[in-house]
Amino acid sequence: MKRIHIATPSKRYEVVIGNELLHMMDRMIDRVCPHVTAVLIITDETVASLYLADVQQALHQTYDRVYAHVIPSGEEAKSFEQFYACHTAALTNHLDRDSLIVALGGGVVGDLAGFVAATYMRGIRFVQVPTTLLAHDSAVGGKTAINHPLGKNMIGAFYQPELVFYDISLLSTLPKREMRSGFAEIIKHSLIYDRAFFGWLQANVEKIEDLNGERLQYAIQRGIEIKAAVVSQDEKEHGVRAHLNFGHTLGHALESELGYGVMTHGDAVALGMLFAIFVSERFYNQPLFYSSFRTLFHHYGFPTSLPSHVSPERLLEKMKKDKKAKDQTVRMVLMKEIGTVCVEQISDEQLLQWLYAFAE
Ligand code: NAD
Ligand code: ZN
């Protein structure tokens, strides 16, 4: 078992990572959250069918009042309706200010349940129990949100959990495409921060299936350590936290243009990272071995070219609407070398030209 300490200005908490940990979940939670009056588990249908009974059983070892609220699986659940339904479940089960919410699931459950915890009675404690690889990213850092029909993650709060409890044996049931999606964010963490870790990934993960056992645990651990280092320096994204957005300017534009769920978040981000490397070579006028990245990403099964039916003009429009754009000018995280990135402003004309070149 591995423990990572996270310290942001608003909170200190731990990420616990290991295999077959469920039986000790109640004690671990009790240690950091004393005097809990009731627990509400929020999870989605898929995860509920696989793990809810085990988690309930584990929690019952310590807590008498354990409730569950199950939301539909998928991005659509990050809605105002589901947010409201979670609050209804909390109220009908008489949760009070000393109660606890357990977010059991991937990034969707974590973002929604975290926002419910941030807002129920002006904020009650919550614990993240990630069940996807991508959630190594979403469960750490305290960003919680739901979507508005006019924009993704537009309504939310910065709200940190009391504990992140990561039992990686739960990842054994995760479909390959979801594993690959999470792996994209692990690659991202290496590229923005740690050249040696990128080397380790290349040497140890030849294909997605290699992500198991010790290697999976190390990849998750290092990914979380990097995310933690970045958010500890900049909890509310005034500066370096923006580096986590590497690959996301085009990634988000693609997701929004194609419709959410068509491409996984990680696939869109992987393609976005490739584009960012392509742009970086041109912006800084130095070779970054774009073609070897392309070969590597292709090998892992990520898409390496833009879908032919999306137009560069539309993508540019979406990129300009990004929350991180300033005065409608696109700001992209570019790579100076592996492990070092920087935010740069790029003019529309230039970006469009590079989008066309990238699409060829
Ligand atoms: P997800 O939560 O939708 O999970 C993906 C799919 O896998 C779902 O169908 C889910 O039911 C299923 N699933 C989950 N665990 C499983 C398991 N162990 N076995 C089998 N199936 C399982 O998606 P995700 O990729 O984990 O997260 C994406 C979300 O995370 C997006 O909404 C994104 O905005 C958000 N996100 C948030 C942050 C943040 O900092 N808060 C960062 C990155 C992403
Ligand atoms: Zn992401």
Short mmCIF file of all heavy atoms in Angstrom, two decimals, residues 160-221:
data_model
loop_
_atom_site.label_atom_id
_atom_site.label_comp_id
_atom_site.label_asym_id
_atom_site.label_seq_id
_atom_site.Cartn_x
_atom_site.Cartn_y
_atom_site.Cartn_z
N GLN A 160 -12.16 19.96 -1.66
CA GLN A 160 -11.25 18.81 -1.53
C GLN A 160 -11.88 17.68 -0.70
O GLN A 160 -12.61 17.95 0.25
CB GLN A 160 -9.95 19.26 -0.83
CG GLN A 160 -9.24 20.44 -1.49
CD GLN A 160 -8.52 20.08 -2.80
OE1 GLN A 160 -8.35 18.91 -3.13
NE2 GLN A 160 -8.12 21.09 -3.55
N PRO A 161 -11.57 16.45 -1.06
CA PRO A 161 -12.06 15.31 -0.27
C PRO A 161 -11.27 15.15 1.04
O PRO A 161 -10.22 15.78 1.21
CB PRO A 161 -11.80 14.12 -1.18
CG PRO A 161 -10.62 14.53 -1.98
CD PRO A 161 -10.73 16.02 -2.18
N GLU A 162 -11.78 14.31 1.93
CA GLU A 162 -11.05 14.00 3.17
C GLU A 162 -10.01 12.93 2.92
O GLU A 162 -9.03 12.81 3.66
CB GLU A 162 -12.03 13.48 4.25
CG GLU A 162 -13.18 14.41 4.57
CD GLU A 162 -12.70 15.73 5.17
OE1 GLU A 162 -11.84 15.69 6.06
OE2 GLU A 162 -13.21 16.78 4.73
N LEU A 163 -10.28 12.11 1.90
CA LEU A 163 -9.43 10.96 1.62
C LEU A 163 -9.71 10.50 0.20
O LEU A 163 -10.85 10.58 -0.27
CB LEU A 163 -9.79 9.84 2.61
CG LEU A 163 -9.15 8.45 2.42
CD1 LEU A 163 -7.66 8.49 2.79
CD2 LEU A 163 -9.85 7.40 3.29
N VAL A 164 -8.68 10.03 -0.48
CA VAL A 164 -8.88 9.33 -1.76
C VAL A 164 -8.45 7.89 -1.51
O VAL A 164 -7.29 7.65 -1.14
CB VAL A 164 -8.06 9.96 -2.90
CG1 VAL A 164 -8.32 9.21 -4.21
CG2 VAL A 164 -8.41 11.44 -3.06
N PHE A 165 -9.37 6.98 -1.68
CA PHE A 165 -9.13 5.59 -1.35
C PHE A 165 -9.15 4.78 -2.65
O PHE A 165 -10.20 4.53 -3.23
CB PHE A 165 -10.25 5.12 -0.39
CG PHE A 165 -10.07 3.73 0.14
CD1 PHE A 165 -9.30 3.50 1.27
CD2 PHE A 165 -10.67 2.65 -0.47
CE1 PHE A 165 -9.14 2.21 1.77
CE2 PHE A 165 -10.52 1.36 0.01
CZ PHE A 165 -9.75 1.15 1.13
N TYR A 166 -7.96 4.43 -3.14
CA TYR A 166 -7.84 3.88 -4.50
C TYR A 166 -7.47 2.41 -4.43
O TYR A 166 -6.30 2.05 -4.25
CB TYR A 166 -6.74 4.64 -5.23
CG TYR A 166 -6.94 4.84 -6.71
CD1 TYR A 166 -6.51 6.01 -7.32
CD2 TYR A 166 -7.55 3.88 -7.51
CE1 TYR A 166 -6.67 6.23 -8.68
CE2 TYR A 166 -7.72 4.09 -8.87
CZ TYR A 166 -7.27 5.26 -9.44
OH TYR A 166 -7.43 5.47 -10.79
N ASP A 167 -8.46 1.56 -4.57
CA ASP A 167 -8.20 0.12 -4.60
C ASP A 167 -8.08 -0.30 -6.06
O ASP A 167 -9.09 -0.41 -6.78
CB ASP A 167 -9.36 -0.62 -3.92
CG ASP A 167 -9.12 -2.13 -3.88
OD1 ASP A 167 -8.25 -2.62 -4.63
OD2 ASP A 167 -9.81 -2.81 -3.11
N ILE A 168 -6.85 -0.51 -6.53
CA ILE A 168 -6.66 -0.72 -7.97
C ILE A 168 -7.18 -2.08 -8.44
O ILE A 168 -7.30 -2.30 -9.64
CB ILE A 168 -5.20 -0.50 -8.42
CG1 ILE A 168 -4.26 -1.50 -7.76
CG2 ILE A 168 -4.76 0.92 -8.17
CD1 ILE A 168 -2.88 -1.50 -8.40
N SER A 169 -7.53 -2.97 -7.52
CA SER A 169 -8.12 -4.23 -7.98
C SER A 169 -9.49 -3.98 -8.63
O SER A 169 -9.94 -4.77 -9.45
CB SER A 169 -8.22 -5.26 -6.85
OG SER A 169 -8.99 -4.75 -5.80
N LEU A 170 -10.13 -2.84 -8.31
CA LEU A 170 -11.43 -2.52 -8.92
C LEU A 170 -11.28 -2.20 -10.41
O LEU A 170 -12.26 -2.23 -11.16
CB LEU A 170 -12.11 -1.35 -8.21
CG LEU A 170 -12.30 -1.43 -6.69
CD1 LEU A 170 -13.22 -0.32 -6.21
CD2 LEU A 170 -12.86 -2.78 -6.24
N LEU A 171 -10.05 -1.91 -10.84
CA LEU A 171 -9.85 -1.57 -12.25
C LEU A 171 -9.86 -2.81 -13.16
O LEU A 171 -9.88 -2.68 -14.38
CB LEU A 171 -8.52 -0.84 -12.45
CG LEU A 171 -8.36 0.51 -11.73
CD1 LEU A 171 -7.03 1.15 -12.10
CD2 LEU A 171 -9.49 1.45 -12.09
N SER A 172 -9.87 -3.99 -12.56
CA SER A 172 -9.80 -5.22 -13.37
C SER A 172 -11.01 -5.38 -14.29
O SER A 172 -10.91 -6.04 -15.31
CB SER A 172 -9.68 -6.44 -12.46
OG SER A 172 -10.84 -6.52 -11.67
N THR A 173 -12.12 -4.75 -13.96
CA THR A 173 -13.32 -4.88 -14.80
C THR A 173 -13.48 -3.73 -15.79
O THR A 173 -14.44 -3.68 -16.55
CB THR A 173 -14.58 -4.91 -13.91
OG1 THR A 173 -14.50 -3.81 -12.98
CG2 THR A 173 -14.68 -6.21 -13.12
N LEU A 174 -12.54 -2.81 -15.78
CA LEU A 174 -12.68 -1.62 -16.63
C LEU A 174 -12.41 -1.98 -18.10
O LEU A 174 -11.40 -2.60 -18.40
CB LEU A 174 -11.67 -0.57 -16.16
CG LEU A 174 -11.92 0.87 -16.60
CD1 LEU A 174 -13.22 1.40 -16.04
CD2 LEU A 174 -10.76 1.76 -16.13
N PRO A 175 -13.31 -1.60 -19.02
CA PRO A 175 -13.07 -1.90 -20.44
C PRO A 175 -11.77 -1.26 -20.94
O PRO A 175 -11.35 -0.22 -20.43
CB PRO A 175 -14.28 -1.27 -21.15
CG PRO A 175 -15.31 -1.07 -20.11
CD PRO A 175 -14.58 -0.89 -18.80
N LYS A 176 -11.18 -1.90 -21.97
CA LYS A 176 -9.88 -1.45 -22.47
C LYS A 176 -9.90 0.02 -22.92
O LYS A 176 -8.96 0.76 -22.69
CB LYS A 176 -9.48 -2.35 -23.65
CG LYS A 176 -8.10 -2.08 -24.17
CD LYS A 176 -7.72 -3.06 -25.27
CE LYS A 176 -6.44 -2.61 -25.96
NZ LYS A 176 -6.15 -3.42 -27.15
N ARG A 177 -11.00 0.42 -23.55
CA ARG A 177 -11.02 1.79 -24.05
C ARG A 177 -11.00 2.79 -22.89
O ARG A 177 -10.44 3.89 -23.01
CB ARG A 177 -12.18 1.99 -25.02
CG ARG A 177 -13.43 2.61 -24.53
CD ARG A 177 -14.50 2.70 -25.61
NE ARG A 177 -15.48 3.72 -25.20
CZ ARG A 177 -15.83 4.76 -25.94
NH1 ARG A 177 -15.34 4.93 -27.14
NH2 ARG A 177 -16.70 5.63 -25.48
N GLU A 178 -11.57 2.41 -21.75
CA GLU A 178 -11.53 3.28 -20.57
C GLU A 178 -10.15 3.27 -19.93
O GLU A 178 -9.70 4.27 -19.38
CB GLU A 178 -12.60 2.87 -19.55
CG GLU A 178 -14.05 2.97 -20.05
CD GLU A 178 -14.46 4.39 -20.42
OE1 GLU A 178 -13.81 5.35 -19.99
OE2 GLU A 178 -15.45 4.52 -21.18
N MET A 179 -9.46 2.12 -19.98
CA MET A 179 -8.08 2.06 -19.47
C MET A 179 -7.21 2.99 -20.31
O MET A 179 -6.40 3.77 -19.79
CB MET A 179 -7.51 0.64 -19.55
CG MET A 179 -7.94 -0.30 -18.46
SD MET A 179 -7.48 0.26 -16.79
CE MET A 179 -5.82 -0.33 -16.66
N ARG A 180 -7.39 2.91 -21.64
CA ARG A 180 -6.58 3.75 -22.52
C ARG A 180 -6.87 5.23 -22.25
O ARG A 180 -5.96 6.06 -22.25
CB ARG A 180 -6.90 3.39 -23.98
CG ARG A 180 -5.95 4.01 -24.96
CD ARG A 180 -6.22 3.53 -26.36
NE ARG A 180 -7.46 4.07 -26.88
CZ ARG A 180 -8.41 3.35 -27.46
NH1 ARG A 180 -8.27 2.05 -27.62
NH2 ARG A 180 -9.52 3.92 -27.89
N SER A 181 -8.14 5.54 -21.99
CA SER A 181 -8.51 6.92 -21.71
C SER A 181 -7.75 7.46 -20.49
O SER A 181 -7.18 8.55 -20.52
CB SER A 181 -10.02 6.99 -21.49
OG SER A 181 -10.44 8.31 -21.23
N GLY A 182 -7.71 6.66 -19.44
CA GLY A 182 -6.97 7.08 -18.24
C GLY A 182 -5.48 7.15 -18.47
O GLY A 182 -4.78 8.01 -17.92
N PHE A 183 -4.99 6.25 -19.32
CA PHE A 183 -3.55 6.21 -19.60
C PHE A 183 -3.09 7.51 -20.28
O PHE A 183 -1.97 7.97 -20.06
CB PHE A 183 -3.22 4.98 -20.46
CG PHE A 183 -1.76 4.75 -20.64
CD1 PHE A 183 -0.88 4.74 -19.57
CD2 PHE A 183 -1.23 4.51 -21.91
CE1 PHE A 183 0.48 4.53 -19.74
CE2 PHE A 183 0.13 4.29 -22.10
CZ PHE A 183 0.98 4.31 -21.00
N ALA A 184 -3.98 8.09 -21.09
CA ALA A 184 -3.62 9.36 -21.75
C ALA A 184 -3.25 10.42 -20.71
O ALA A 184 -2.29 11.17 -20.87
CB ALA A 184 -4.78 9.85 -22.62
N GLU A 185 -4.01 10.46 -19.61
CA GLU A 185 -3.72 11.48 -18.58
C GLU A 185 -2.42 11.15 -17.84
O GLU A 185 -1.71 12.04 -17.38
CB GLU A 185 -4.88 11.61 -17.58
CG GLU A 185 -6.22 12.00 -18.21
CD GLU A 185 -6.38 13.50 -18.50
OE1 GLU A 185 -5.39 14.25 -18.40
OE2 GLU A 185 -7.52 13.90 -18.85
N ILE A 186 -2.11 9.86 -17.73
CA ILE A 186 -0.84 9.50 -17.10
C ILE A 186 0.32 9.96 -17.99
O ILE A 186 1.29 10.55 -17.51
CB ILE A 186 -0.79 7.98 -16.81
CG1 ILE A 186 -1.77 7.68 -15.66
CG2 ILE A 186 0.64 7.54 -16.46
CD1 ILE A 186 -1.79 6.26 -15.18
N ILE A 187 0.18 9.71 -19.29
CA ILE A 187 1.22 10.19 -20.22
C ILE A 187 1.33 11.71 -20.11
O ILE A 187 2.43 12.27 -20.07
CB ILE A 187 0.87 9.79 -21.68
CG1 ILE A 187 0.89 8.27 -21.83
CG2 ILE A 187 1.82 10.47 -22.66
CD1 ILE A 187 0.47 7.78 -23.21
N LYS A 188 0.18 12.37 -20.03
CA LYS A 188 0.20 13.84 -19.90
C LYS A 188 1.01 14.27 -18.69
O LYS A 188 1.86 15.16 -18.77
CB LYS A 188 -1.23 14.38 -19.79
CG LYS A 188 -1.29 15.88 -19.58
CD LYS A 188 -2.66 16.34 -19.11
CE LYS A 188 -2.85 16.09 -17.61
NZ LYS A 188 -4.17 16.56 -17.14
N HIS A 189 0.75 13.63 -17.55
CA HIS A 189 1.49 14.01 -16.33
C HIS A 189 3.00 13.86 -16.53
O HIS A 189 3.78 14.69 -16.07
CB HIS A 189 0.98 13.19 -15.13
CG HIS A 189 -0.37 13.64 -14.65
ND1 HIS A 189 -1.45 12.79 -14.50
CD2 HIS A 189 -0.82 14.87 -14.34
CE1 HIS A 189 -2.49 13.49 -14.10
NE2 HIS A 189 -2.14 14.75 -13.99
N SER A 190 3.40 12.80 -17.24
CA SER A 190 4.83 12.62 -17.47
C SER A 190 5.37 13.72 -18.39
O SER A 190 6.43 14.29 -18.14
CB SER A 190 5.13 11.23 -18.04
OG SER A 190 4.76 11.14 -19.40
N LEU A 191 4.63 14.04 -19.44
CA LEU A 191 5.14 15.00 -20.42
C LEU A 191 5.24 16.42 -19.86
O LEU A 191 6.11 17.19 -20.26
CB LEU A 191 4.26 15.00 -21.68
CG LEU A 191 4.33 13.74 -22.55
CD1 LEU A 191 3.39 13.87 -23.74
CD2 LEU A 191 5.77 13.49 -23.04
N ILE A 192 4.35 16.77 -18.95
CA ILE A 192 4.40 18.16 -18.44
C ILE A 192 5.39 18.32 -17.30
O ILE A 192 5.76 19.43 -16.93
CB ILE A 192 3.02 18.68 -17.97
CG1 ILE A 192 2.50 17.91 -16.75
CG2 ILE A 192 2.01 18.64 -19.11
CD1 ILE A 192 1.26 18.56 -16.12
N TYR A 193 5.86 17.22 -16.72
CA TYR A 193 6.56 17.38 -15.43
C TYR A 193 7.79 16.50 -15.23
O TYR A 193 8.67 16.86 -14.48
CB TYR A 193 5.54 17.05 -14.33
CG TYR A 193 5.86 17.62 -12.97
CD1 TYR A 193 5.50 18.93 -12.66
CD2 TYR A 193 6.49 16.86 -11.99
CE1 TYR A 193 5.75 19.47 -11.42
CE2 TYR A 193 6.75 17.39 -10.73
CZ TYR A 193 6.37 18.70 -10.46
OH TYR A 193 6.62 19.22 -9.22
N ASP A 194 7.84 15.33 -15.88
CA ASP A 194 8.83 14.36 -15.43
C ASP A 194 9.34 13.49 -16.59
O ASP A 194 8.74 12.48 -16.92
CB ASP A 194 8.18 13.49 -14.34
CG ASP A 194 9.17 12.53 -13.70
OD1 ASP A 194 10.28 12.37 -14.21
OD2 ASP A 194 8.79 11.93 -12.68
N ARG A 195 10.44 13.94 -17.15
CA ARG A 195 11.01 13.25 -18.30
C ARG A 195 11.36 11.79 -17.97
O ARG A 195 11.14 10.89 -18.78
CB ARG A 195 12.29 14.02 -18.68
CG ARG A 195 12.93 13.56 -19.91
CD ARG A 195 14.25 14.28 -20.18
NE ARG A 195 14.70 13.80 -21.47
CZ ARG A 195 14.47 14.44 -22.60
NH1 ARG A 195 13.87 15.60 -22.61
NH2 ARG A 195 14.86 13.91 -23.74
N ALA A 196 11.87 11.57 -16.77
CA ALA A 196 12.27 10.21 -16.37
C ALA A 196 11.05 9.29 -16.32
O ALA A 196 11.11 8.12 -16.72
CB ALA A 196 12.97 10.23 -15.02
N PHE A 197 9.94 9.82 -15.85
CA PHE A 197 8.71 9.03 -15.78
C PHE A 197 8.22 8.68 -17.19
O PHE A 197 7.77 7.56 -17.44
CB PHE A 197 7.64 9.79 -14.98
CG PHE A 197 6.32 9.08 -14.84
CD1 PHE A 197 6.25 7.70 -14.61
CD2 PHE A 197 5.12 9.79 -14.91
CE1 PHE A 197 5.02 7.05 -14.47
CE2 PHE A 197 3.90 9.15 -14.77
CZ PHE A 197 3.85 7.78 -14.55
N PHE A 198 8.36 9.62 -18.11
CA PHE A 198 7.98 9.31 -19.50
C PHE A 198 8.85 8.16 -20.03
O PHE A 198 8.35 7.23 -20.68
CB PHE A 198 8.09 10.55 -20.39
CG PHE A 198 7.68 10.28 -21.81
CD1 PHE A 198 6.35 10.03 -22.13
CD2 PHE A 198 8.63 10.24 -22.84
CE1 PHE A 198 5.97 9.75 -23.44
CE2 PHE A 198 8.26 9.96 -24.14
CZ PHE A 198 6.92 9.72 -24.44
N GLY A 199 10.13 8.21 -19.72
CA GLY A 199 11.04 7.13 -20.12
C GLY A 199 10.60 5.80 -19.51
O GLY A 199 10.61 4.76 -20.18
N TRP A 200 10.22 5.85 -18.24
CA TRP A 200 9.75 4.63 -17.55
C TRP A 200 8.52 4.06 -18.27
O TRP A 200 8.42 2.85 -18.49
CB TRP A 200 9.44 4.95 -16.08
CG TRP A 200 9.02 3.74 -15.29
CD1 TRP A 200 9.83 2.90 -14.59
CD2 TRP A 200 7.69 3.21 -15.16
NE1 TRP A 200 9.08 1.89 -14.01
CE2 TRP A 200 7.77 2.05 -14.35
CE3 TRP A 200 6.43 3.61 -15.63
CZ2 TRP A 200 6.64 1.28 -14.00
CZ3 TRP A 200 5.31 2.84 -15.30
CH2 TRP A 200 5.43 1.70 -14.50
N LEU A 201 7.59 4.94 -18.63
CA LEU A 201 6.37 4.48 -19.31
C LEU A 201 6.71 3.80 -20.63
O LEU A 201 6.20 2.73 -20.94
CB LEU A 201 5.41 5.65 -19.56
CG LEU A 201 4.71 6.26 -18.34
CD1 LEU A 201 3.95 7.52 -18.72
CD2 LEU A 201 3.76 5.25 -17.69
N GLN A 202 7.60 4.44 -21.39
CA GLN A 202 7.98 3.85 -22.68
C GLN A 202 8.61 2.48 -22.50
O GLN A 202 8.39 1.56 -23.28
CB GLN A 202 8.98 4.76 -23.39
CG GLN A 202 8.34 5.91 -24.12
CD GLN A 202 9.42 6.73 -24.80
OE1 GLN A 202 10.25 7.33 -24.13
NE2 GLN A 202 9.41 6.74 -26.11
N ALA A 203 9.42 2.36 -21.44
CA ALA A 203 10.14 1.10 -21.22
C ALA A 203 9.24 0.01 -20.64
O ALA A 203 9.48 -1.18 -20.86
CB ALA A 203 11.32 1.36 -20.29
N ASN A 204 8.22 0.41 -19.88
CA ASN A 204 7.44 -0.59 -19.14
C ASN A 204 6.04 -0.86 -19.65
O ASN A 204 5.43 -1.85 -19.26
CB ASN A 204 7.34 -0.18 -17.67
CG ASN A 204 8.66 -0.36 -16.97
OD1 ASN A 204 9.01 -1.45 -16.56
ND2 ASN A 204 9.42 0.73 -16.87
N VAL A 205 5.51 0.05 -20.46
CA VAL A 205 4.16 -0.16 -20.96
C VAL A 205 4.21 -0.21 -22.48
O VAL A 205 4.14 0.81 -23.16
CB VAL A 205 3.19 0.96 -20.48
CG1 VAL A 205 1.76 0.61 -20.84
CG2 VAL A 205 3.31 1.18 -18.98
N GLU A 206 4.33 -1.42 -22.96
CA GLU A 206 4.39 -1.57 -24.41
C GLU A 206 2.98 -1.51 -24.99
O GLU A 206 2.76 -0.98 -26.06
CB GLU A 206 5.06 -2.89 -24.75
CG GLU A 206 5.79 -2.82 -26.07
CD GLU A 206 6.32 -4.18 -26.45
OE1 GLU A 206 7.10 -4.75 -25.66
OE2 GLU A 206 5.91 -4.67 -27.53
N LYS A 207 2.04 -2.08 -24.26
CA LYS A 207 0.64 -1.99 -24.66
C LYS A 207 -0.23 -1.77 -23.42
O LYS A 207 0.25 -1.97 -22.29
CB LYS A 207 0.21 -3.25 -25.42
CG LYS A 207 0.61 -4.56 -24.77
CD LYS A 207 0.37 -5.69 -25.75
CE LYS A 207 0.54 -7.07 -25.15
NZ LYS A 207 1.64 -7.28 -24.21
N ILE A 208 -1.48 -1.35 -23.64
CA ILE A 208 -2.36 -1.00 -22.52
C ILE A 208 -2.49 -2.17 -21.54
O ILE A 208 -2.55 -1.98 -20.33
CB ILE A 208 -3.76 -0.58 -23.04
CG1 ILE A 208 -3.65 0.57 -24.04
CG2 ILE A 208 -4.70 -0.20 -21.90
CD1 ILE A 208 -3.15 1.88 -23.51
N GLU A 209 -2.52 -3.38 -22.08
CA GLU A 209 -2.69 -4.57 -21.22
C GLU A 209 -1.54 -4.73 -20.21
O GLU A 209 -1.68 -5.44 -19.22
CB GLU A 209 -2.78 -5.85 -22.06
CG GLU A 209 -4.07 -6.01 -22.84
CD GLU A 209 -4.09 -5.18 -24.13
OE1 GLU A 209 -3.09 -4.49 -24.43
OE2 GLU A 209 -5.12 -5.22 -24.83
N ASP A 210 -0.40 -4.08 -20.49
CA ASP A 210 0.71 -4.19 -19.53
C ASP A 210 0.43 -3.42 -18.25
O ASP A 210 1.18 -3.54 -17.27
CB ASP A 210 2.01 -3.62 -20.15
CG ASP A 210 2.46 -4.44 -21.33
OD1 ASP A 210 2.06 -5.61 -21.42
OD2 ASP A 210 3.21 -3.90 -22.18
N LEU A 211 -0.62 -2.60 -18.28
CA LEU A 211 -0.95 -1.82 -17.09
C LEU A 211 -1.66 -2.70 -16.08
O LEU A 211 -2.89 -2.72 -16.01
CB LEU A 211 -1.84 -0.64 -17.46
CG LEU A 211 -1.15 0.55 -18.09
CD1 LEU A 211 -2.17 1.48 -18.70
CD2 LEU A 211 -0.32 1.30 -17.05
N ASN A 212 -0.91 -3.46 -15.34
CA ASN A 212 -1.51 -4.24 -14.26
C ASN A 212 -0.49 -4.42 -13.14
O ASN A 212 0.69 -4.08 -13.30
CB ASN A 212 -2.03 -5.59 -14.78
CG ASN A 212 -0.92 -6.40 -15.42
OD1 ASN A 212 0.17 -6.48 -14.88
ND2 ASN A 212 -1.19 -6.97 -16.57
N GLY A 213 -0.96 -4.90 -12.02
CA GLY A 213 -0.08 -5.18 -10.89
C GLY A 213 0.77 -3.99 -10.47
O GLY A 213 0.31 -2.86 -10.39
N GLU A 214 2.05 -4.27 -10.24
CA GLU A 214 2.98 -3.26 -9.73
C GLU A 214 3.14 -2.08 -10.68
O GLU A 214 3.24 -0.94 -10.26
CB GLU A 214 4.36 -3.88 -9.54
CG GLU A 214 4.37 -5.11 -8.66
CD GLU A 214 5.03 -4.84 -7.33
OE1 GLU A 214 6.19 -4.41 -7.36
OE2 GLU A 214 4.37 -5.06 -6.28
N ARG A 215 3.14 -2.40 -11.99
CA ARG A 215 3.34 -1.33 -12.97
C ARG A 215 2.16 -0.36 -12.96
O ARG A 215 2.33 0.85 -13.04
CB ARG A 215 3.51 -1.92 -14.38
CG ARG A 215 4.94 -2.37 -14.62
CD ARG A 215 5.13 -2.85 -16.01
NE ARG A 215 4.67 -4.23 -16.13
CZ ARG A 215 4.98 -5.02 -17.15
NH1 ARG A 215 5.71 -4.56 -18.14
NH2 ARG A 215 4.54 -6.26 -17.19
N LEU A 216 0.96 -0.94 -12.84
CA LEU A 216 -0.24 -0.09 -12.78
C LEU A 216 -0.17 0.78 -11.53
O LEU A 216 -0.41 1.99 -11.58
CB LEU A 216 -1.50 -0.97 -12.75
CG LEU A 216 -2.82 -0.24 -12.59
CD1 LEU A 216 -3.06 0.73 -13.74
CD2 LEU A 216 -4.00 -1.22 -12.50
N GLN A 217 0.17 0.18 -10.42
CA GLN A 217 0.23 0.94 -9.17
C GLN A 217 1.26 2.06 -9.26
O GLN A 217 1.01 3.18 -8.85
CB GLN A 217 0.53 0.01 -7.99
CG GLN A 217 0.65 0.79 -6.69
CD GLN A 217 0.43 -0.04 -5.44
OE1 GLN A 217 -0.22 -1.08 -5.48
NE2 GLN A 217 0.97 0.41 -4.33
N TYR A 218 2.44 1.75 -9.84
CA TYR A 218 3.47 2.79 -9.94
C TYR A 218 3.02 3.92 -10.87
O TYR A 218 3.21 5.11 -10.57
CB TYR A 218 4.81 2.22 -10.41
CG TYR A 218 5.85 3.32 -10.52
CD1 TYR A 218 6.36 3.91 -9.37
CD2 TYR A 218 6.24 3.80 -11.76
CE1 TYR A 218 7.26 4.97 -9.45
CE2 TYR A 218 7.15 4.86 -11.85
CZ TYR A 218 7.65 5.43 -10.70
OH TYR A 218 8.53 6.49 -10.79
N ALA A 219 2.41 3.54 -12.01
CA ALA A 219 1.98 4.57 -12.97
C ALA A 219 0.94 5.49 -12.33
O ALA A 219 1.00 6.72 -12.49
CB ALA A 219 1.40 3.91 -14.22
N ILE A 220 0.01 4.92 -11.58
CA ILE A 220 -1.02 5.72 -10.91
C ILE A 220 -0.38 6.61 -9.84
O ILE A 220 -0.65 7.80 -9.74
CB ILE A 220 -2.09 4.80 -10.27
CG1 ILE A 220 -2.94 4.14 -11.35
CG2 ILE A 220 -2.97 5.59 -9.31
CD1 ILE A 220 -3.99 3.18 -10.83
N GLN A 221 0.50 5.98 -9.07
CA GLN A 221 1.15 6.72 -7.98
C GLN A 221 1.91 7.94 -8.51
O GLN A 221 1.75 9.05 -8.03
CB GLN A 221 2.11 5.76 -7.28
CG GLN A 221 2.92 6.36 -6.17
CD GLN A 221 4.13 5.49 -5.88
OE1 GLN A 221 4.03 4.25 -5.93
NE2 GLN A 221 5.26 6.10 -5.62
#
